[in-house]
Amino acid sequence: PLLGLQGSGGGLGFLAGGGAASIEATGGAITNSGSYTIHTFSFPNSDNFEVNSGEGEIDILVIAGGGAGGSGGPAGWYGGGGGAGGYAYATGYTVTPGTYPISVGGGGSGTSSGRGASGGNSWFNLPVPSGKVFCQGGGGGGVGQYPGPHPDAPAHNGGSGGGSGSHLDSSTTTGGAAVQPNENSTFTNGTLEQYGFPGGSENGGSGDGVGGGGGGAGGPGYVSPGPNANNGLGGAGRANSITGSSVTYAGGAPSHPSWDHPAPGSNNGSGGRGGASGGSSDSGQNGVVIVRYLT
Protein backbone atom coordinates (compact mmCIF):
# COMPACT_ATOMS: atom_id res chain seq x y z
CA PRO A 1 0.00 0.00 0.00
CA LEU A 2 1.14 3.50 -0.79
CA LEU A 3 0.51 6.62 1.25
CA GLY A 4 0.29 9.52 -1.20
CA LEU A 5 1.51 7.45 -4.16
CA GLN A 6 4.72 8.68 -5.77
CA GLY A 7 5.32 6.00 -8.39
CA SER A 8 8.84 4.59 -8.77
CA GLY A 9 11.19 4.07 -5.83
CA GLY A 10 13.73 6.65 -6.95
CA GLY A 11 11.73 9.84 -7.48
CA LEU A 12 13.44 13.20 -7.12
CA GLY A 13 11.48 14.36 -4.09
CA PHE A 14 11.53 18.04 -4.14
CA LEU A 15 12.49 18.74 -7.71
CA ALA A 16 8.81 18.20 -8.32
CA GLY A 17 7.88 20.52 -5.45
CA GLY A 18 10.05 23.37 -6.73
CA GLY A 19 12.55 25.54 -4.89
CA ALA A 20 15.92 24.81 -3.36
CA ALA A 21 16.39 23.81 0.26
CA SER A 22 18.58 26.07 2.42
CA ILE A 23 19.52 23.38 4.92
CA GLU A 24 22.72 23.02 6.93
CA ALA A 25 22.78 19.69 8.74
CA THR A 26 25.04 17.13 10.41
CA GLY A 27 24.82 13.43 11.17
CA GLY A 28 25.92 10.18 9.57
CA ALA A 29 28.43 9.85 6.76
CA ILE A 30 28.06 12.91 4.50
CA THR A 31 28.67 12.75 0.74
CA ASN A 32 27.60 14.71 -2.32
CA SER A 33 26.09 13.66 -5.63
CA GLY A 34 25.32 16.33 -8.20
CA SER A 35 23.23 19.02 -6.47
CA TYR A 36 22.43 16.82 -3.48
CA THR A 37 23.97 16.43 -0.03
CA ILE A 38 23.49 12.89 1.28
CA HIS A 39 23.63 11.63 4.88
CA THR A 40 24.00 7.86 5.31
CA PHE A 41 23.34 6.23 8.70
CA SER A 42 24.60 2.66 9.11
CA PHE A 43 24.30 -0.04 11.76
CA PRO A 44 25.11 0.31 14.62
CA ASN A 45 24.07 3.95 14.47
CA SER A 46 24.66 6.34 17.38
CA ASP A 47 23.88 9.55 15.53
CA ASN A 48 20.85 11.62 14.57
CA PHE A 49 20.02 13.94 11.69
CA GLU A 50 20.57 17.43 13.10
CA VAL A 51 19.28 20.44 11.16
CA ASN A 52 21.47 23.28 12.43
CA SER A 53 19.95 26.05 10.31
CA GLY A 54 17.58 26.64 7.42
CA GLU A 55 14.51 24.75 6.41
CA GLY A 56 13.32 22.90 3.36
CA GLU A 57 12.41 19.50 2.00
CA ILE A 58 14.34 16.25 2.25
CA ASP A 59 14.04 12.73 0.87
CA ILE A 60 14.36 9.80 3.28
CA LEU A 61 14.98 6.10 2.59
CA VAL A 62 14.49 3.80 5.59
CA ILE A 63 15.41 0.10 5.35
CA ALA A 64 15.13 -2.28 8.32
CA GLY A 65 17.47 -5.21 8.98
CA GLY A 66 16.82 -8.41 7.05
CA GLY A 67 15.75 -11.67 8.71
CA ALA A 68 18.05 -14.69 8.85
CA GLY A 69 17.27 -17.96 7.12
CA GLY A 70 16.11 -20.99 9.07
CA SER A 71 18.47 -23.87 9.81
CA GLY A 72 18.52 -26.98 7.64
CA GLY A 73 17.21 -30.35 8.72
CA PRO A 74 18.69 -33.81 8.07
CA ALA A 75 18.91 -35.56 4.71
CA GLY A 76 19.02 -32.45 2.55
CA TRP A 77 15.98 -30.58 3.88
CA TYR A 78 16.52 -26.84 3.68
CA GLY A 79 15.46 -24.02 5.95
CA GLY A 80 13.26 -21.21 4.70
CA GLY A 81 14.77 -18.01 3.34
CA GLY A 82 14.84 -14.89 5.48
CA GLY A 83 12.46 -12.02 4.72
CA ALA A 84 13.74 -8.57 3.81
CA GLY A 85 13.53 -5.65 6.18
CA GLY A 86 10.68 -3.21 5.61
CA TYR A 87 11.23 -0.54 2.93
CA ALA A 88 9.89 3.04 3.17
CA TYR A 89 10.69 6.07 1.01
CA ALA A 90 9.49 9.56 1.91
CA THR A 91 9.81 12.58 -0.38
CA GLY A 92 8.96 16.25 0.11
CA TYR A 93 9.45 15.88 3.88
CA THR A 94 9.69 19.35 5.46
CA VAL A 95 12.30 19.95 8.16
CA THR A 96 13.18 22.94 10.33
CA PRO A 97 16.08 23.37 12.79
CA GLY A 98 16.10 20.60 15.36
CA THR A 99 17.06 16.98 16.08
CA TYR A 100 15.51 14.10 14.12
CA PRO A 101 16.20 10.77 15.92
CA ILE A 102 17.41 7.86 13.80
CA SER A 103 17.88 4.16 14.52
CA VAL A 104 19.24 1.53 12.12
CA GLY A 105 18.36 -2.13 12.60
CA GLY A 106 20.88 -4.95 12.30
CA GLY A 107 20.38 -8.14 10.34
CA GLY A 108 19.06 -11.19 12.16
CA SER A 109 21.67 -13.80 13.13
CA GLY A 110 21.94 -17.10 11.29
CA THR A 111 21.49 -20.31 13.23
CA SER A 112 22.34 -24.02 13.17
CA SER A 113 19.26 -25.10 15.13
CA GLY A 114 16.04 -23.16 14.81
CA ARG A 115 14.19 -20.42 13.07
CA GLY A 116 16.24 -17.56 11.78
CA ALA A 117 16.26 -14.45 13.96
CA SER A 118 14.22 -11.54 12.67
CA GLY A 119 15.97 -8.31 11.70
CA GLY A 120 16.05 -5.14 13.77
CA ASN A 121 13.73 -2.19 13.20
CA SER A 122 14.83 1.09 11.61
CA TRP A 123 13.23 4.52 11.84
CA PHE A 124 13.47 8.25 11.20
CA ASN A 125 11.99 10.75 13.68
CA LEU A 126 10.26 8.34 16.04
CA PRO A 127 7.96 8.95 17.91
CA VAL A 128 6.45 12.00 16.09
CA PRO A 129 3.25 10.40 14.66
CA SER A 130 2.82 12.66 11.64
CA GLY A 131 6.49 12.55 10.75
CA LYS A 132 7.83 9.16 11.80
CA VAL A 133 9.01 6.75 9.12
CA PHE A 134 9.16 3.32 10.77
CA CYS A 135 10.27 0.03 9.21
CA GLN A 136 9.85 -3.42 10.75
CA GLY A 137 12.73 -5.91 10.61
CA GLY A 138 12.44 -8.83 8.20
CA GLY A 139 10.99 -12.13 9.40
CA GLY A 140 13.28 -15.09 10.05
CA GLY A 141 12.89 -18.25 7.96
CA GLY A 142 11.48 -21.51 9.29
CA VAL A 143 13.32 -24.76 10.10
CA GLY A 144 13.76 -27.55 7.55
CA GLN A 145 12.89 -31.05 8.81
CA TYR A 146 12.33 -34.63 7.57
CA PRO A 147 9.94 -36.49 7.52
CA GLY A 148 7.22 -34.16 8.81
CA PRO A 149 7.02 -30.46 9.59
CA HIS A 150 9.10 -29.33 12.53
CA PRO A 151 7.18 -27.23 15.10
CA ASP A 152 9.34 -24.30 14.02
CA ALA A 153 8.82 -24.82 10.29
CA PRO A 154 6.44 -21.83 10.04
CA ALA A 155 8.36 -18.59 9.50
CA HIS A 156 8.31 -15.33 11.42
CA ASN A 157 6.25 -12.35 10.33
CA GLY A 158 8.22 -9.18 9.56
CA GLY A 159 8.58 -6.14 7.32
CA SER A 160 8.61 -8.84 4.67
CA GLY A 161 7.83 -12.34 5.94
CA GLY A 162 10.29 -15.22 6.16
CA GLY A 163 9.87 -18.38 4.08
CA SER A 164 8.61 -21.69 5.50
CA GLY A 165 11.02 -24.49 6.28
CA SER A 166 10.82 -27.61 4.09
CA HIS A 167 9.13 -30.92 4.94
CA LEU A 168 7.94 -34.07 3.17
CA ASP A 169 4.37 -34.74 4.26
CA SER A 170 1.33 -33.37 2.43
CA SER A 171 0.52 -30.53 4.85
CA THR A 172 1.06 -26.86 4.06
CA THR A 173 3.28 -24.73 6.26
CA THR A 174 2.88 -21.02 5.75
CA GLY A 175 5.45 -18.34 5.24
CA GLY A 176 5.51 -15.26 7.44
CA ALA A 177 3.14 -12.36 6.84
CA ALA A 178 4.31 -8.89 5.77
CA VAL A 179 3.59 -6.14 8.30
CA GLN A 180 5.26 -3.16 6.61
CA PRO A 181 2.20 -2.24 4.49
CA ASN A 182 0.29 -1.49 7.73
CA GLU A 183 2.92 0.80 9.28
CA ASN A 184 3.07 4.63 9.29
CA SER A 185 -0.69 5.10 9.02
CA THR A 186 -0.49 8.56 10.63
CA PHE A 187 2.20 9.94 8.32
CA THR A 188 1.31 13.33 6.78
CA ASN A 189 4.65 15.10 6.17
CA GLY A 190 5.16 14.73 2.41
CA THR A 191 4.64 11.62 0.29
CA LEU A 192 5.39 8.11 1.54
CA GLU A 193 5.61 4.78 -0.26
CA GLN A 194 6.35 1.58 1.60
CA TYR A 195 6.66 -2.08 0.71
CA GLY A 196 6.78 -5.53 2.24
CA PHE A 197 5.58 -8.90 0.93
CA PRO A 198 4.92 -12.30 2.54
CA GLY A 199 7.27 -15.27 2.57
CA GLY A 200 6.62 -18.40 0.52
CA SER A 201 4.87 -21.45 1.93
CA GLU A 202 5.94 -25.11 1.78
CA ASN A 203 3.10 -27.13 0.30
CA GLY A 204 4.59 -30.49 1.18
CA GLY A 205 4.98 -33.77 -0.62
CA SER A 206 7.50 -32.48 -3.15
CA GLY A 207 10.45 -34.52 -1.99
CA ASP A 208 12.89 -31.85 -3.22
CA GLY A 209 13.87 -30.59 0.23
CA VAL A 210 13.30 -26.94 -0.65
CA GLY A 211 11.42 -24.53 1.62
CA GLY A 212 9.75 -21.23 0.86
CA GLY A 213 11.65 -18.10 -0.11
CA GLY A 214 11.64 -14.95 1.99
CA GLY A 215 9.51 -12.02 0.90
CA GLY A 216 11.15 -8.89 -0.51
CA ALA A 217 10.26 -5.24 -1.05
CA GLY A 218 9.58 -6.01 -4.72
CA GLY A 219 7.46 -9.15 -4.39
CA PRO A 220 6.55 -12.23 -2.32
CA GLY A 221 8.79 -15.19 -1.70
CA TYR A 222 8.19 -18.16 -3.98
CA VAL A 223 6.44 -21.24 -2.67
CA SER A 224 7.77 -24.80 -2.67
CA PRO A 225 7.14 -26.74 -4.80
CA GLY A 226 7.13 -23.77 -7.13
CA PRO A 227 6.68 -23.13 -10.83
CA ASN A 228 9.66 -23.98 -13.03
CA ALA A 229 12.92 -22.45 -11.78
CA ASN A 230 11.24 -20.25 -9.15
CA ASN A 231 10.86 -23.01 -6.57
CA GLY A 232 11.77 -21.54 -3.16
CA LEU A 233 13.42 -18.38 -4.49
CA GLY A 234 13.36 -15.10 -2.57
CA GLY A 235 11.11 -12.19 -3.50
CA ALA A 236 12.61 -9.37 -5.53
CA GLY A 237 14.19 -6.31 -3.97
CA ARG A 238 13.40 -2.72 -4.95
CA ALA A 239 15.74 -0.22 -6.64
CA ASN A 240 16.21 3.34 -5.40
CA SER A 241 18.51 6.13 -6.63
CA ILE A 242 18.64 8.33 -3.52
CA THR A 243 22.46 8.04 -3.44
CA GLY A 244 22.82 9.17 -7.05
CA SER A 245 23.04 5.67 -8.51
CA SER A 246 20.51 2.85 -8.60
CA VAL A 247 20.87 0.37 -5.73
CA THR A 248 18.58 -2.58 -5.03
CA TYR A 249 17.47 -2.90 -1.41
CA ALA A 250 15.48 -5.37 0.67
CA GLY A 251 15.51 -8.59 -1.35
CA GLY A 252 14.05 -11.79 0.09
CA ALA A 253 16.41 -14.78 0.40
CA PRO A 254 16.05 -18.24 -1.19
CA SER A 255 15.63 -21.44 0.78
CA HIS A 256 18.59 -23.11 -0.94
CA PRO A 257 21.93 -21.87 0.44
CA SER A 258 23.73 -21.88 -2.92
CA TRP A 259 21.08 -20.17 -5.05
CA ASP A 260 21.32 -16.61 -6.28
CA HIS A 261 20.09 -13.85 -4.00
CA PRO A 262 17.86 -11.14 -5.53
CA ALA A 263 19.67 -8.30 -3.72
CA PRO A 264 23.11 -9.38 -2.52
CA GLY A 265 25.38 -6.94 -0.76
CA SER A 266 25.85 -5.42 2.66
CA ASN A 267 23.75 -2.88 4.55
CA ASN A 268 20.77 -3.17 2.23
CA GLY A 269 18.25 -4.96 4.47
CA SER A 270 18.11 -8.21 2.50
CA GLY A 271 17.28 -11.56 4.08
CA GLY A 272 19.70 -14.45 4.71
CA ARG A 273 19.56 -17.77 2.83
CA GLY A 274 18.20 -20.92 4.45
CA GLY A 275 20.55 -23.56 5.83
CA ALA A 276 21.51 -26.76 4.01
CA SER A 277 21.23 -30.28 5.38
CA GLY A 278 21.96 -30.01 9.08
CA GLY A 279 23.68 -26.70 8.44
CA SER A 280 23.60 -23.12 9.56
CA SER A 281 21.67 -20.43 7.78
CA ASP A 282 22.94 -17.06 6.56
CA SER A 283 22.41 -13.93 8.63
CA GLY A 284 20.31 -11.10 7.27
CA GLN A 285 21.88 -7.86 6.05
CA ASN A 286 21.91 -4.74 8.19
CA GLY A 287 19.48 -1.96 7.37
CA VAL A 288 20.27 1.65 6.47
CA VAL A 289 18.76 5.14 6.68
CA ILE A 290 19.65 7.67 3.96
CA VAL A 291 18.66 11.36 3.86
CA ARG A 292 19.27 13.80 1.01
CA TYR A 293 18.46 17.39 0.16
CA LEU A 294 19.36 19.96 -2.46
CA THR A 295 22.47 21.91 -1.57
Side-chain angles (χ1 to χ4, degrees):
L2 309 183
L3 304 180
L5 178 62
Q6 154 120 5
S8 71
L12 299 182
F14 44 140
L15 289 183
S22 55
I23 297 171
E24 292 186 3
T26 57
I30 302 176
T31 56
N32 297 96
S33 177
S35 299
Y36 285 100
T37 297
I38 300 162
H39 297 244
T40 300
F41 300 85
S42 302
F43 178 84
N45 176 64
S46 60
D47 207 354
N48 296 312
F49 182 65
E50 186 81 32
V51 179
N52 299 313
S53 65
E55 61 182 61
E57 294 179 356
I58 63 174
D59 295 337
I60 309 158
L61 178 66
V62 178
I63 305 291
S71 65
W77 294 83
Y78 298 109
Y87 172 116
Y89 184 54
T91 56
Y93 187 111
T94 300
V95 293
T96 57
T99 299
Y100 296 81
I102 286 175
S103 182
V104 181
S109 297
T111 177
S112 61
S113 59
R115 290 177 181 163
S118 295
N121 304 331
S122 295
W123 66 77
F124 178 92
N125 207 23
L126 195 73
V128 180
S130 63
K132 72 168 184 168
V133 183
F134 176 83
C135 283
Q136 183 82 29
V143 175
Q145 182 71 20
Y146 172 89
H150 189 280
D152 288 337
H156 288 298
N157 301 336
S160 285
S164 166
S166 62
H167 56 80
L168 181 62
D169 78 351
S170 60
S171 64
T172 293
T173 304
T174 59
V179 303
Q180 190 59 45
N182 297 319
E183 300 291 352
N184 303 304
S185 61
T186 58
F187 179 88
T188 58
N189 189 346
T191 299
L192 179 70
E193 53 181 280
Q194 57 182 6
Y195 300 95
F197 288 87
S201 63
E202 158 66 287
N203 294 323
S206 65
D208 61 4
V210 177
Y222 287 92
V223 303
S224 175
N228 303 319
N230 292 328
N231 182 22
L233 293 183
R238 186 168 294 272
N240 190 291
S241 300
I242 192 170
T243 60
S245 59
S246 181
V247 176
T248 299
Y249 300 91
S255 169
H256 199 293
S258 64
W259 289 352
D260 288 341
H261 197 294
S266 59
N267 300 328
N268 66 358
S270 294
R273 293 176 294 190
S277 176
S280 298
S281 60
D282 288 348
S283 297
Q285 294 293 330
N286 298 332
V288 68
V289 175
I290 303 173
V291 177
R292 74 172 180 181
Y293 49 89
L294 285 171
T295 303

